[in-house]
Amino acid sequence: MEVSAALSNWSKAAELTKAAQEKGSDPLVWAIQMYSNLNSAGESLPSPELAEFLVSYICWENNVPILWKFLDKALMLKIVPPMLLLALLSLRVIPCRHVQPAAYRLYLELLKRHAFDLQYQINRPDYEKVMKSIDDVLHLSDIFGMSHSEPGILVVEFIFSIVWQLLDASLDDEGLLEFIPEKNSRWAILYQEMDLDRHDNYSDKKAEQLEILQNANTLMAVEIIGQFLQDKKSSRLLYLARRNLPAHWLSFVQRLQLLGTNSLALRKSRILCPEALSHLTSDTCMALPRECKTNSQQKFQSVMAFEYLSSSASLCHGASHSALWIPLDLMLEDAMDGYQVSATSSIEIISGLIKTLRAINGTSWHDTFLGLWLATLRLVQRERDPIEGPMPHLDTRLFMLFCILPLVVANLIEEEERTPVDEKDNGPTDHWKEKMVPGKCRNDLVSSLQVLGDYQSLLLPPQSVVAAANQAAAKAMLFVSGIGNAYFDCLTMTEMPVNCSGNMRHLIVEACIARNLLDTSAYLWPGYVSGRINQIPQCMPAQVPGWSSFMKGAPLTSVMVNALVSSPATSLAELEKIFEIALGGSEDEKISAAAILCGASLIRGWNIQEHTVHFILRLLSPPVPAGNTEGNNYLINYAPILNALFVGIASVDCVQIFSLHGLVPQLACSLMPICEVLGSCLPNISWTLPSGEEISAHAVFSNAFILLLKLWRFNRPPLEYGIGEVPTVGSQLTPEYLLLVRNSHLMSAGNVHKDQYRRRLSEIASLSSPNSVFVDSFPKLKVWYRQHQACIASTLSGLVHGTPFHQIVEGLLNMMFRKINRGSQTTIISGSSSSSGLGNEDACIGPKLPAWDILEAIPFVIDAALTACAHGRLSPRELATGLKDLADFLPASLATIISYFCAEVTRGVWKPASMNGTDWPSPAAKLQNVEEQIKKILAATGVVVPSLAPGDTSPATLPLPLAAFTSLTITYKVDRSSERFLNLAGQTLESLAASCPWPCMPIVASLWTQKAKRWTDFLVFSASRTVFLHNSDAVVQLLKSCFTATLGMNGSPISSSGGVGALLGHGFKAHLSGGICPVAPGILYLRAYRSIRDMVFLTEEILSILMQSVREIVCGGLPKERLAKLKATKEGMKYGQVSLAASMSRVKLAAALGASLVWISGGLTLVQLLIKETLPSWFISVHGLEQEEKCDGMVTMLGGYALAYFAVLCGAFAWGVDSSSSASKRRPKVLGCHMEFLASALDGKISLGCDSATWRAYVSGFVSLMVGCTPNWVLEVDVQVLKRLSNGLRQLNEEELALALLSAGGVGTMGAAAELIIDTEM
């Protein structure tokens, strides 16, 4: 019955239409009658069926003007769905436009009238049904490949399809369609399905009239395309297509560009020109503008833009260009801390940081590269007059400037110039990026280096680099003068006919040329060289020992070796020749080659350092001999060359070079099998070096083992391993973790899309060992490591009298205290047995056992000796001498001694030792001076703490294990041969002393200043930073000093400078009159934060100080009276505008500093804690006003913006702005939790305690930064959360921001974004 009734309805409609057509009825009367009939019949209006009927009726048997008028009136009275009708007509009319030009013209008129009125259509109950019908007609889901069929998505696709059909039709009309790759219309398949047989109604028209009408139609179609691109709503819908259908949009834009370049019709248009059409699809035009509605948002529109800090307003108020790069300055300075090695390359860290800062601040590549060079030059200049001590010095900083930074730049340029296919996941959403222009990034590098020449004070080379800078300048001058490098190789600087004064820029340029970032045309830059050489220098190539003569065939004599060790190689070819000798030369030549690689080429071979470390690692993993059946025992034959490598790379600077390259995991993987094999050898295996020195297996093992232990934090007290209520902020490197990182490099070897840095890591890992490596592969090492962990966890047990293991312990005790044993019957207790002092001579010279067996016994040996000392059976001097004898017998035993003392110091079960100068060494001579110097250092940074020492004058004491370990370290000579052992022991000693009650650290520092007077400044500074472990108030004061210095809050806020210069100052610098110069607060914090154990406390304090800084910035600018007078004058508005710009720049600076401190202090863990817990807790809590005056509400609002900038920067530092880092995999979960919190609070499900203006500013600021700077983050958030958050923003009258959020959410939110565009008047 229903079917027959429906047929009856449409037959009546046909009759009504035919009758009206024959009578020539008024179209409005027909429309009213049709509306009445359908309404009476119970048909839902507007009726999709009526639309289908009318189009079928007209095309083409009844193609007469009056029926088109019927269509127009049906649309006016809304009895047919406009979008569906237009979709049906597009498939019927557009393919017939040449023979039915009048129909095409009428179709275009209907488009102009009805295609832009979409709002009422999406609010009807049949909206979804109509859009499904349109999808069925145009096959939109199939054509655009969208699995989602939400009605809002179909609206976008419908508008896109209509414009695209007009575009293809216009190209075809002008004969341009054949110039596109496809050669035909995108919609040709759909057109072929239509019945196009009857279209000859106008066959009697003259050809000339047809042509005129067709040309007019083409012009009108082109103008309608422009109208779609100009209309506010349709252009935004097309923007959604651009964002979410990138491949289709690219094809569309290519066709549009073809039309704009070649269309004759477009040139005839009076309302649209080719330039305007091109502009309408540009990046600047195809975007969603932020037209904020509320008064507060209009006031802070410029604030929300987060403009570049070096803008004119910022420069006028003390925020210099360097302020933008404070996070980079802090990170670079932190990387110079020799107490920390990293498993991640600085190349990766700096590259990620640069991309983050560039995204957040919107800087160009020119400004980015310039900021990178300037920050690293500041890093070098802070070490011009350093204090002396066992820490990385100038060489590491120069390595960062001349090696790491060029590799970072190469990495960034390679990524920027990579084909779009590699970036397909990120490209459409990275709207902060500049438009991809081939070579632009490289050109900006050139321009940044040219501008760098204006910073003469930063380019002044340190004294040790002057010669190298002058040589670089001389090389450029010879090139400019047309003189070849042959003369340069044989010339000395004194033989140059003109003065060649070089600077740091000359060395930077040489480093870039060596890595193919620049070519020699850089020598021709204006001002790069100071003149020309008019005559060829008169010189004869002399066979002076050096790289030039070596490459010409000179043999590796001792003089030649010394020359090559002391001067860096200048090319990869030179290194390769040395490497070939290290592999295939004689035994003596191999050792010499290893020493050369570890010499100046490693420390100062800036142009080839990445290749040097590569060759060293390859030598540390010698090739397995053919037919090898002895496992890793073949390594024994390589012991002499391996030992030369261990000694050569043992210094603090060398370890830092491997760390900054990210090669610590690979270095550890190379050392573990060597330690496993050599530690299992008997000590009677030995080798004679070219110098005549004989080395034993114990010595080689010790050098390798000590080097291995420097690569993870094994020597830290148990407190740093998370024992206690709160974990520490420091990272916890372990052997297992290092091997996992190394294996990850190996597993990614097949990924061809990795950047240059990752490809290098994969290559190095593959060459050393093609298989994954685990700790279980090294059973002896694993036993020692497990014993080390057990020693930390519990006291010693398990020593059984009479066993072979007990005999080893006895033998070691006899060796250590043989002098005592010979003269008396003193008994030293070891475990449950007593050891008589009498022993045979063999025992006195030490057991002939493998090193691993000895290391296993040492904890019991030390325990027995310390117990004997505690009970008076050994004097402190005898204990120290015995420990030193043990360390001399097996230098690797220092590692186990450290392990034991670390555990025992923190147990607190030993009685204190009185440092009275009789039993134990006395610090009295230096202690008072050290404590005074500590107070001065702290006071200079604004930290004032009460005396931490007891009020009485009791003698200085140390816990017995600490006293014993201090005495042992003092027995070492402060020379190069002991450096590799003292570096390990010294860091442990400082950590242990810092973990003990005050004044243990000043006491230890005093004892060591008496030992090494030239290290006094370093030791005093090291002692001063441990204050923060004992006093949380000192931490707060230091943090406040960092903010105060950076913001320039000490004087007038407009005239004070602040910035990175005040934060980091001059680094460590010796005072001319003795002592250390005042240290900037940032330097002190970077060297002290690893002692801070409470992560939650640290984060909360930084957050609190940030908000306090905002209040001081806003309210502390001018006196209240002066502020009131300004507001009452005509200048008040001008002042208010300037103060807002200045305040916001400084607020952003404070937020950037706070985010940097959080990230550096705790890394990913602390950032995630901040975003998941700390920030939500802060918003929920009630915050009382500290001052009655609110400074016109600016404090609360700017506070919200500061928190938003702070939170986004923290996340960006930890996760990155894209998905290239491993940490980014953790981002979706944490970010999702925070976005859920925001959405729930906006929904009213969470009650907030903070000020409503602060909350509003935070939400709008956080979302704005995500949408504008980190769009990849938005794609990772749950779609429903984004929709809820968008609804919440609309409740705050933030419609534009709500739309921007949905637009950035990808396909999942495209439908909601489209409906929001249509449904609101923005």
Side-chain angles (χ1 to χ4, degrees), residues 891-1101:
S893 62
L894 180 62
T896 305
I897 293 173
I898 288 173
S899 174
Y900 174 83
F901 282 134
C902 281
E904 294 304 315
V905 164
T906 55
R907 292 196 217 286
V909 298
W910 298 90
K911 67 178 182 180
S914 178
M915 313 302 289
N916 52 21
T918 303
D919 299 320
W920 297 93
S922 171
K926 296 287 186 179
L927 183 57
Q928 183 177 0
N929 180 62
V930 167
E931 291 181 331
E932 290 177 355
Q933 290 296 322
I934 290 174
K935 291 181 180 179
K936 288 182 180 179
I937 291 174
L938 297 178
T941 58
V943 178
V944 179
V945 295
S947 176
L948 295 169
D952 56 22
T953 57
S954 57
T957 61
L958 291 177
L960 182 60
L962 179 58
F965 187 54
T966 304
S967 299
L968 169 62
T969 61
I970 292 176
T971 62
Y972 279 90
K973 293 181 179 179
V974 183
D975 56 17
R976 183 172 177 79
S977 61
S978 300
E979 178 186 7
R980 54 187 179 276
F981 305 112
L982 275 178
N983 287 341
L984 186 69
Q987 293 183 18
T988 306
L989 180 61
E990 181 180 334
S991 298
L992 289 178
S995 64
C996 293
W998 194 269
C1000 289
M1001 188 65 220
I1003 291 172
V1004 171
S1006 300
L1007 293 172
W1008 256 98
T1009 56
Q1010 296 174 84
K1011 167 74 177 181
K1013 294 182 179 179
R1014 57 194 176 95
W1015 286 2
T1016 297
D1017 293 339
F1018 168 78
L1019 293 167
V1020 171
F1021 178 78
S1022 297
S1024 68
R1025 62 186 181 179
T1026 61
V1027 170
F1028 303 99
L1029 179 64
H1030 299 275
N1031 192 308
S1032 59
D1033 183 61
V1035 176
V1036 177
Q1037 292 184 54
L1038 181 58
L1039 286 171
K1040 288 182 178 178
S1041 294
C1042 290
F1043 278 85
T1044 300
T1046 305
L1047 299 172
M1049 302 293 285
N1050 294 325
S1052 171
I1054 293 181
S1055 61
S1056 60
S1057 57
V1060 66
L1063 177 64
L1064 297 177
H1066 49 65
F1068 303 103
K1069 189 175 182 180
H1071 202 284
L1072 294 177
S1073 60
I1076 186 173
C1077 285
V1079 179
I1083 293 291
L1084 185 57
Y1085 180 82
L1086 290 176
R1087 299 298 176 259
Y1089 73 83
R1090 292 186 177 91
S1091 299
I1092 303 169
R1093 298 172 183 166
D1094 191 342
M1095 299 171 68
V1096 179
F1097 161 79
L1098 185 68
T1099 313
E1100 291 176 346
E1101 287 302 324

Side-chain angles (χ1 to χ4, degrees), residues 790-808:
C791 183
I792 289 175
S794 61
T795 56
L796 293 173
S797 62
L799 184 62
V800 180
H801 178 69
T803 61
F805 184 75
H806 181 268
Q807 292 175 4
I808 296 175

Side-chain angles (χ1 to χ4, degrees), residues 766-782:
S766 303
L767 289 173
S768 64
S769 174
N771 302 314
S772 296
V773 179
F774 303 96
V775 174
D776 291 340
S777 305
F778 315 110
K780 296 289 187 181
L781 174 62
K782 183 179 179 180

